[in-house]
Every structure is written in C-alpha cells, then in structure tokens.
Amino acid sequence: MPHTAEPAEIELTFRREDWYAEEFTGRRFERCEFHDVDLTEAVTRGVSFVDCVFGNVRFNASKHVDTAFTGCGFTRCNLFDAEFSGCKLVGSRFTECSLRPMKVLGGDWSFAGLAGADLRGATFQGVRMREADLTRADCTGATFADVDLSGAELLEVKFGGAELRGSDLSALDPVHAELGGAIVSPEQATVLVTSLGLHVRG
C-alpha cells in the first residue's frame, strides 16, 4: 500500500519497522532517526530525508527515484543491489556500510562521505560528485562513467579495472592511486600524464 504525501515528519525515531516492499511518495522527514528498519525492495519517489540518521537499515534491492538524502548519516546499513535514479545525496556520509553492487544513475552526490568504502563493481553513471570523499575507497572494477569528480578527495583510491571514461579526473593524483587496467579516454590519459609532470608531443 503506497505511502503518499503527508506533512513533514520532524525529529521522530523509527525502530524495527517492517517496511518491506513499501512505496513512499512525496513524504518529507527532517532530523529523524531510523534504526533496524527493513526497507528491502522498498520504493521511494520524490521523498526527502534531511539531516536524518540511518543505523543498521536494510535497503537491499530498494529503488529510489528523485529522492533526496541530504546531510544524512548511514552507519552499518546494507545497500546490496540498491538503485538510485536522479537522487540527491549531498553531504551524506556512509560508515561501515555494504554498498555493492549499488547502482547510481544521475543525481548529485557532491560532498558525500565515502572514505574507505567498498565500491567494487558499483555503478555511478552521469553523477555529480564534486568534492566527494573517496579517500582509500575500493572502486576496483567499478563504473564511474561521465561522473563529475572535480575537487574530490581521491587519495589512495583503487580504480583498478574501473571504467572511467567521460569522468572529470582533474583531482586524481595517479602517483597516489591504483589505476592498473582502468579504462580512460585519450583526453583523460593526457590529463593524467600532465599531472605526472610529463609533456605529450607528437
């Protein structure tokens, strides 16, 4: 049964709720806390979560369309096979979360905190990730296609075998990253070579 638009829910705490396969449309949650909530296969459309806390929440196989999670904190959450389409996660932080094989299509993840995250095989397509923190993130075999990573923290990031074509890699220091087998365009290769202090001449 769909949960439709209602007045904003502010500073509420939800514990051990079973929202398996529920549909949420147009709702707004501000400074709410969600603990041990089951959102497996749930669907959100146009929902807004502002400065909310998610602890041990199951987002497995959930789908989120045009939903915003701004300034939210995710701790020990499971996002196995979760999909985000056109969503806004500006300033949200992920700690000890299971994030693979998450799929992100479009949207804005600027300033998102993904330091040390295991993103192997994850997909980020056409996403804005300006100044996102991917320090020591394991993105081996992941897809970061047409992603705006300008100003992102990429120290010791692992992009081995990753698909990176079309993405802004201006913030990437190849000396302090793992790039073996990564797929880049000729233009990106030039950017990386230039960052090493080399000059490409015909």
Side-chain angles (χ1 to χ4, degrees), residues 77-179:
C77 294
N78 193 330
L79 288 86
F80 174 82
D81 207 26
E83 182 175 310
F84 297 83
S85 298
C87 294
K88 182 178 181 180
L89 281 89
V90 175
S92 286
R93 303 161 305 285
F94 296 83
T95 306
E96 299 179 26
C97 292
S98 176
L99 302 172
R100 50 189 298 258
M102 182 173 66
K103 180 181 290 185
V104 181
L105 305 173
D108 192 346
W109 287 54
S110 296
F111 304 99
L114 291 160
D118 183 354
L119 293 168
R120 290 175 293 164
T123 296
F124 288 82
Q125 175 79 47
V127 187
R128 184 176 184 178
M129 298 186 75
R130 291 187 177 183
E131 298 189 50
D133 188 356
L134 286 164
T135 303
R136 297 183 303 283
D138 189 349
C139 305
T140 303
T143 295
F144 279 77
D146 301 312
V147 174
D148 183 357
L149 288 166
S150 56
E153 295 289 341
L154 301 172
L155 182 65
E156 297 182 10
V157 66
K158 296 180 180 179
F159 275 140
E163 166 64 77
L164 302 174
R165 284 178 292 185
S167 295
D168 185 334
L169 302 178
S170 58
L172 180 62
D173 179 355
V175 174
H176 297 100
E178 292 185 19
L179 297 170

Side-chain angles (χ1 to χ4, degrees), residues 10-86:
I10 301 174
E11 297 182 350
L12 298 179
T13 297
F14 302 88
R15 294 184 185 276
R16 293 179 288 279
E17 296 284 351
D18 183 1
W19 291 337
Y20 179 89
E22 292 280 5
E23 295 185 19
F24 297 83
T25 302
R27 293 179 66 175
R28 182 178 178 84
F29 300 87
E30 298 179 14
R31 300 185 300 282
C32 292
E33 295 190 19
F34 302 81
H35 299 281
D36 300 298
V37 174
D38 188 0
L39 282 166
T40 300
E41 296 188 20
V43 177
T44 68
R45 299 180 188 278
V47 177
S48 181
F49 298 91
V50 180
D51 296 329
C52 291
V53 173
F54 296 87
N56 197 35
V57 173
R58 295 179 291 286
F59 289 94
N60 309 52
S62 61
K63 295 184 183 299
H64 309 275
V65 181
D66 299 328
T67 288
F69 296 86
T70 51
C72 294
F74 298 80
T75 302
R76 293 183 294 281
C77 294
N78 193 330
L79 288 86
F80 174 82
D81 207 26
E83 182 175 310
F84 297 83
S85 298

